Amino acid sequence: MSVRYYVYISDAKVDMLLPQVDAGFSRRRTTEVGFSLKFVNARHSVEAEASDRVTRLERVVRHLDDFGDVGTVDEPGQYFRGRLLMRWGPLSPGGTPLVYFGGHTEHTIVGLGGARGHVFGTPTSASAEQDQAFAPSTMPGMLAALAAVGTPGEEAVSPEALASVHRANRMMRGTDQEVEFLAKRLLHGPSPYPELDAHHGMTVLLGSPLFVALAD
């Protein structure tokens, strides 16, 4: 059995996708958890909520793997999976609570960003407030947090937006950690700084992760 040590789970995406994947699953889990919580103490209530969080995510991930357009970092579909050395941590330009993961393959500079409240262990209430106020995992919120010019749509890939991802990756400090992830593609295009890349012809990829986990 595969066991993951999650560092980030996007409850907002899971809550949006799960009813489309399996509406009956949501109703069953709500009933089961609600019944169980009547008979457990506060500590077990927290454990039950964490377990349910992971179970809901895994149901969505299984569906996307089986039926979704899931590609790789170098060849992304609507979603992409990866296992990379990445640097990550909080970014708060202008007060926006963004957590950002930056890394690269030989062909692609990749950045993942989302609400800092979705980092595993952060109180749910903080996550909800941050999403409502800033929506940092959406395209406009993400690019605003990365100091991009304008708010281009998914198909309108501007050099300024690509440059923002490029700059954010170069700004990341700290130690590389190997992580695995599944993310929604937001932005994909040629690097605006080919002269700075180790390999010419690099592309830039920005995604909003459903999950990020430490790799074994």
Side-chain angles (χ1 to χ4, degrees), residues 8 89-100 113-119 122 126-137 141-142 144-145:
Y8 179 98
L91 296 177
S92 299
T96 301
L98 176 75
V99 60
Y100 188 82
R116 198 165 64 198
H118 289 317
V119 173
T122 302
S127 169
E129 290 172 3
Q130 290 167 359
D131 275 353
Q132 184 175 2
F134 301 103
S137 62
M142 186 101 64

Side-chain angles (χ1 to χ4, degrees), residues 94-108:
T96 301
L98 176 75
V99 60
Y100 188 82
F101 301 78
H104 64 86
T105 68
E106 290 186 357
H107 306 289
T108 306

